Amino acid sequence: MFRIIVTSLSFVGIVLLTGCAAPKVNYQAETKNISEPPLNSVNEKQVGDELLRQGKYREHDAILVNSIIKISFAYTIHPGYFLKMGEDKENEYYRIGGAGEDSGFVEKISIADPYQSLMVRKADNKICIVTVLNVSGCDDSNAVSFDKLKKPIISQDAFQRTLIYSGKVGNKINIGYREFSGNLARPAFSNNVEYDLSESKNIGYKGALLEIVEATNRAIKYKVISNFNAAEK
C-alpha cells in the first residue's frame, strides 16, 4: 500500500492509493478500409443522403464506461469512451480524452495528484487511475461498470470520399462529390455534377459507376457497379 501526502499552503490532504504502475504506450490501432454500399447492391436514398462512401478509418480498442466510478474519495471517472494506449503483462492502459465528442473524462479533488491514464487490471478487470507519480488507485466495488469494444476513429491522416444525391429536375439528376481529410472537408476537391438520364442510365465519377433504376426530386434507387478508385493516403 502506498500513502501519498499532498501539501498546499493551507492544508495537508491524504489520498490512499494501492500500487505502482507505469503506463505503456505500445498499442497501434488497426487501419480499416471503407467501401459502401457493396458492389451490385440495389439501394434507395433520399435527397442529401450519401450514395457511395470510400476511405479509411482506424478501428481502436477502447473501453466504454457506463456509469460514474469513484476511486477513493479523490477521483471520479465519468461515462464515455477511453482509447487504449498500451499494455503489459498485468494491465491495459487507456488515454483520458481524445476519443471524440463522446469521450469520458476524469475529475479530481484539488489536493490529489494529477492523473495521467486509466488502467484495467487483467487479473480481475478492475478499473484504476494512474497518477503522474505512476501510482495507481482502483475501483473497490464488485461491479464491472465498463465494456471493452472497438471504436472507429477518423484520424488526421484518414481520407474519405462520397457521392451525395442532390435531386432531380426534368430528366437530369444532380450529384455532389465531397472529399474529407480527417474530419475536415476539402473544399477544393468538392464538385457538383449534372447527369442527363435521357442519354444514359449509367453515371460515373472518379471511377465510381452507378446504374440509376429510378429517380425523383426526393429519392433515388440505384445499383452500384463500381466504387471509387483506390482511396488515397
Side-chain angles (χ1 to χ4, degrees):
M1 302 286 285
F2 289 78
R3 188 176 300 272
I4 301 174
I5 301 178
V6 184
T7 61
S8 72
L9 293 177
S10 58
F11 58 85
V12 176
I14 299 176
V15 179
L16 186 64
L17 298 178
T18 59
C20 290
K24 301 297 185 292
V25 184
N26 55 11
Y27 172 76
Q28 182 66 46
E30 185 179 0
T31 298
K32 294 284 189 178
N33 293 315
I34 306 166
S35 185
E36 300 173 341
L39 297 183
N40 299 314
S41 64
V42 177
N43 307 271
E44 295 187 44
K45 300 289 184 178
Q46 305 295 313
V47 169
D49 288 345
E50 292 181 349
L51 304 180
L52 286 180
R53 183 163 68 112
Q54 188 181 63
K56 296 181 179 181
Y57 70 98
R58 291 181 181 172
E59 192 170 76
H60 214 296
D61 286 354
I63 56 173
L64 174 59
V65 174
N66 299 307
S67 59
I68 287 177
I69 301 171
K70 293 284 190 179
I71 305 295
S72 180
F73 61 88
Y75 303 94
T76 303
I77 304 172
H78 289 266
Y81 287 92
F82 298 86
L83 301 180
K84 188 173 181 178
M85 58 189 285
E87 65 179 299
D88 53 31
K89 290 182 179 180
E90 291 80 27
N91 307 302
E92 294 178 344
Y93 301 94
Y94 295 84
R95 299 184 189 280
I96 298 173
E101 295 181 356
D102 47 3
S103 289
F105 65 98
V106 175
E107 285 185 310
K108 74 177 189 69
I109 63 174
S110 60
I111 62 172
D113 289 323
Y115 50 79
Q116 63 171 318
S117 74
L118 296 189
M119 181 181 82
V120 174
R121 294 196 310 224
K122 294 180 179 180
D124 56 10
N125 229 26
K126 291 290 187 182
I127 192 167
C128 313
I129 288 285
V130 181
T131 76
V132 294
L133 299 180
N134 290 338
V135 178
S136 64
C138 299
D139 178 20
D140 59 4
S141 70
N142 293 321
V144 177
S145 51
F146 65 91
D147 299 310
K148 290 185 177 181
L149 39 68
K150 300 281 189 179
K151 181 173 173 55
I153 298 292
I154 303 300
S155 59
Q156 291 299 316
D157 61 350
F159 175 83
Q160 294 192 49
R161 54 175 71 178
T162 66
L163 288 182
I164 300 170
Y165 185 50
S166 300
K168 181 184 179 186
V169 178
N171 287 324
K172 297 179 179 180
I173 61 171
N174 294 290
I175 303 294
Y177 173 77
R178 302 290 183 268
E179 287 188 5
F180 299 87
S181 180
N183 285 315
L184 300 177
R186 304 173 73 193
F189 296 90
S190 298
N191 198 10
N192 294 293
V193 186
E194 186 177 77
Y195 296 90
D196 190 342
L197 297 182
S198 63
E199 294 181 0
S200 175
K201 297 296 184 182
N202 290 345
I203 65 170
Y205 195 88
K206 286 186 175 289
L209 183 61
L210 307 179
E211 178 186 337
I212 307 304
V213 178
E214 183 181 356
T216 69
N217 62 353
R218 293 195 297 180
I220 188 170
K221 186 176 183 180
Y222 62 100
K223 181 178 181 180
V224 181
I225 306 302
S226 64
N227 209 314
F228 295 108
N229 299 324
E232 300 175 9
K233 294 182 179 181

